[in-house]
């Protein structure tokens, strides 16, 4: 502009030739930097890094080594909906062909939730964190969890490929066969599919999910969850850390030995635990979750995914235990069972927590 021209002329008139030259060079450098930045050729020190130098694990969430994932940025909110405060009745639907030992392993985990005889750290100790959540009356999630019924759909009544909607048809088939009642007050329906059953977005986006049935499909609004057996489909995704992706081969922690010797079913146990914790605290998707979108809530299991012990984060599961033959676990269950189950978000600590935590402070 003309104002800038007269200002610059006045400044140069009162400067020595050397000062004028230095000013000119400074202006030229600033102009060059501006052009480079506009063309994408310029990077600040905050964004420039050498990809050949490994970066340390990102620890922006917490300065505490005891409860990884703690953060003032996590806005977990209560949205006034119900939680499962009455004794919880689980109705199991075994979809496809299931070996009896595999079914027993999963049932032993579910029965361990209310069992108080297992040594610490136990599955029931882990569930105590889930039980901290309350509804608007102050009633806590129940610590009483039982298997109220089972139904085996060995004929694959809805085929070997399922969708989120056809899962409700699977539940409707089980309910109409009357192996167990419609329990819309205390019941949750857990659909477990065999390893030859595929699901929309399975492996790519989900390993399990929970929701509630539509009255038009089942006749009632019933909380339910689905979990798939990833033993042959995508163990490196849904049974991690008992299998690891190819890109991790040779770098980072290797795969761990499953506590009960079955990659697919041991992997399912942690996903089942994840879904049960979220189903109990957010059964109708209007209770406990972070974020503003109820169609894509971040729930108490999501906040701690991949964390199994103290020091977890950045692809490291944390400090866990090994038995005499090297199998990895972090929880004890009934009948001397061992399980590896992810941590969940504690509303008291405002952090991920588990009973196997080690105080390093």
């Amino acid at each position: 502009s003309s104002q800038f021209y007269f200002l610059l002329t006045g400044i140069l008139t009162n400067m020595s030739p050397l000062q004028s030259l230095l000013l000119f060079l400074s202006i030229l450098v600033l102009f060059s930097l501006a052009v480079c930045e506009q063309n994408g050729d310029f990077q600040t020190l905050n964004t420039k890094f050498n990809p050949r130098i490994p970066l340390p694990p990102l620890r922006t969430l917490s300065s505490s080594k005891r409860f990884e994932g703690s953060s003032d940025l996590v806005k977990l909110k209560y949205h006034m909906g119900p939680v499962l405060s009455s004794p919880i009745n689980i109705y199991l639907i075994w979809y496809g062909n299931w070996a009896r030992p595999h079914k027993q392993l999963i049932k032993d985990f579910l029965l361990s939730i209310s069992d108080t005889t297992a040594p610490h750290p136990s599955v029931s100790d882990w569930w105590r964190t889930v039980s901290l959540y309350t509804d608007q009356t102050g009633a806590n999630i129940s610590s009483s969890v039982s298997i109220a019924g089972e139904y085996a759909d060995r004929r694959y009544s809805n085929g070997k490929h399922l969708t989120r909607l056809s899962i409700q048809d699977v539940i409707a088939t089980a309910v109409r066969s009357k192996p167990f009642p419609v329990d819309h007050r205390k019941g949750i329906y857990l659909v477990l599919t065999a390893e030859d059953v595929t699901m929309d977005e399975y492996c790519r986006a989900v390993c399990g999910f929970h929701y509630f049935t539509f009255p038009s499909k089942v006749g009632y609004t019933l909380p339910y969850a689905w979990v798939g057996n990833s033993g042959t489909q995508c163990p490196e995704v849904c049974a991690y850390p008992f299998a690891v992706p190819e890109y991790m081969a040779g770098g980072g922690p290797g795969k761990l030995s499953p506590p009960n010797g079955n990659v697919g079913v041991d992997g399912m146990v942690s996903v089942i635990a994840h879904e049960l914790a979220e189903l109990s605290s957010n059964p109708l998707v209007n209770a406990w979750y972070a974020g503003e979108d109820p169609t894509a809530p971040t729930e108490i299991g999501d906040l701690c995914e991949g964390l199994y012990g103290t020091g977890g984060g950045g692809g490291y599961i944390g400090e866990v235990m090994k038995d005499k033959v090297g199998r990895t676990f972090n929880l004890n269950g009934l009948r001397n069972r061992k399980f590896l189950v992810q941590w969940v978000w504690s509303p008291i600590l405002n952090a991920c927590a588990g009973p196997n935590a080690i105080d390093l402070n």
Side-chain angles (χ1 to χ4, degrees), residues 140-330:
N140 293 79
I141 292 175
S142 177
S143 59
S144 174
V145 179
S146 61
I147 298 174
E150 297 180 65
Y151 175 68
D153 193 336
R154 300 186 185 89
R155 297 184 177 181
Y156 301 84
S157 62
N158 286 272
K160 290 191 175 184
H161 178 76
L162 301 176
T163 66
R164 287 178 179 262
L165 199 56
S166 66
I167 278 288
Q168 298 199 24
D169 294 320
V170 171
I171 297 172
T173 298
V175 167
R176 289 167 189 157
S177 66
K178 298 182 187 289
F180 38 69
V182 173
D183 188 350
H184 56 85
R185 290 192 173 183
K186 300 181 180 180
I188 60 175
Y189 294 76
L190 182 55
V191 182
L192 304 174
T193 50
E195 58 185 2
D196 59 345
V197 178
T198 59
M199 164 69 70
D200 275 357
E201 298 186 324
Y202 186 34
C203 300
R204 185 181 66 82
V206 296
C207 298
F209 59 79
H210 73 90
Y211 204 59
F212 52 85
T213 61
F214 303 145
S216 60
K217 279 281 189 180
V218 184
Y220 299 88
T221 299
L222 305 172
Y224 75 89
W226 162 81
V227 178
N229 186 325
S230 63
T232 59
Q233 293 187 51
C234 56
E236 72 283 356
V237 176
C238 294
Y240 179 86
F242 306 130
V244 298
E246 289 185 5
Y247 68 83
M248 291 181 65
K255 63 183 179 180
L256 304 179
S257 180
N260 298 284
N262 188 286
V263 168
V265 182
D266 275 310
M268 283 186 79
V269 166
S270 189
V271 181
I272 290 170
H274 176 119
E275 297 303 330
L276 283 183
E278 296 182 341
L279 184 60
S280 299
S281 57
N282 198 28
L284 300 181
V285 201
N286 61 357
W288 290 95
Y289 63 87
E292 301 302 325
D293 185 1
T295 63
T298 300
E299 299 171 296
I300 68 171
D302 300 326
L303 292 169
C304 305
E305 193 159 359
L307 297 178
Y308 296 81
T310 299
Y316 178 57
I317 69 169
E319 294 291 332
V320 295
M321 298 168 282
K322 288 185 178 181
D323 63 14
K324 295 179 180 179
V325 294
R327 293 177 176 179
T328 309
F329 70 100
N330 64 352

Side-chain angles (χ1 to χ4, degrees), residues 9-170:
T9 302
I11 292 173
L12 292 174
T13 301
N14 297 318
M15 296 179 96
S16 67
L18 179 59
Q19 289 175 324
S20 300
L21 178 61
L22 291 175
L23 177 60
F24 173 77
L25 292 175
S26 298
I27 294 172
L28 182 62
V29 170
L30 289 174
F31 177 77
S32 300
L33 290 175
V35 171
C36 289
E37 187 169 11
Q38 186 175 7
N39 293 335
D41 300 326
F42 177 80
Q43 287 183 308
T44 68
L45 292 177
N46 291 330
T47 59
K48 186 95 171 173
F49 66 93
N50 185 348
R52 295 183 179 85
I53 300 176
L55 296 176
L58 188 62
R59 291 194 178 276
T60 58
L61 291 180
S62 175
S63 60
S64 168
K65 295 181 180 178
R66 185 177 182 187
F67 301 107
E68 296 301 333
S70 59
S71 175
D72 293 334
L73 302 176
V74 174
K75 301 299 182 184
L76 185 70
K77 295 181 181 178
Y78 176 55
H79 298 265
M80 305 306 290
V83 300
L84 300 183
S85 56
S86 299
I88 300 169
N89 294 331
I90 297 178
Y91 296 92
L92 285 169
I93 301 172
W94 304 99
Y95 191 83
N97 292 314
W98 280 88
R100 182 174 294 181
H102 298 166
K103 292 167 68 174
Q104 190 60 55
L105 170 58
I106 291 173
K107 289 194 291 184
D108 282 349
F109 169 73
L110 297 173
L111 294 173
S112 294
I113 293 174
S114 296
D115 177 70
T116 58
T117 63
H120 178 81
S122 67
V123 176
S124 61
D125 293 333
W126 172 85
W127 188 259
R128 285 197 189 102
T129 300
V130 180
S131 297
L132 293 172
Y133 290 87
T134 62
D135 62 15
Q136 57 186 310
T137 70
N140 293 79
I141 292 175
S142 177
S143 59
S144 174
V145 179
S146 61
I147 298 174
E150 297 180 65
Y151 175 68
D153 193 336
R154 300 186 185 89
R155 297 184 177 181
Y156 301 84
S157 62
N158 286 272
K160 290 191 175 184
H161 178 76
L162 301 176
T163 66
R164 287 178 179 262
L165 199 56
S166 66
I167 278 288
Q168 298 199 24
D169 294 320
V170 171

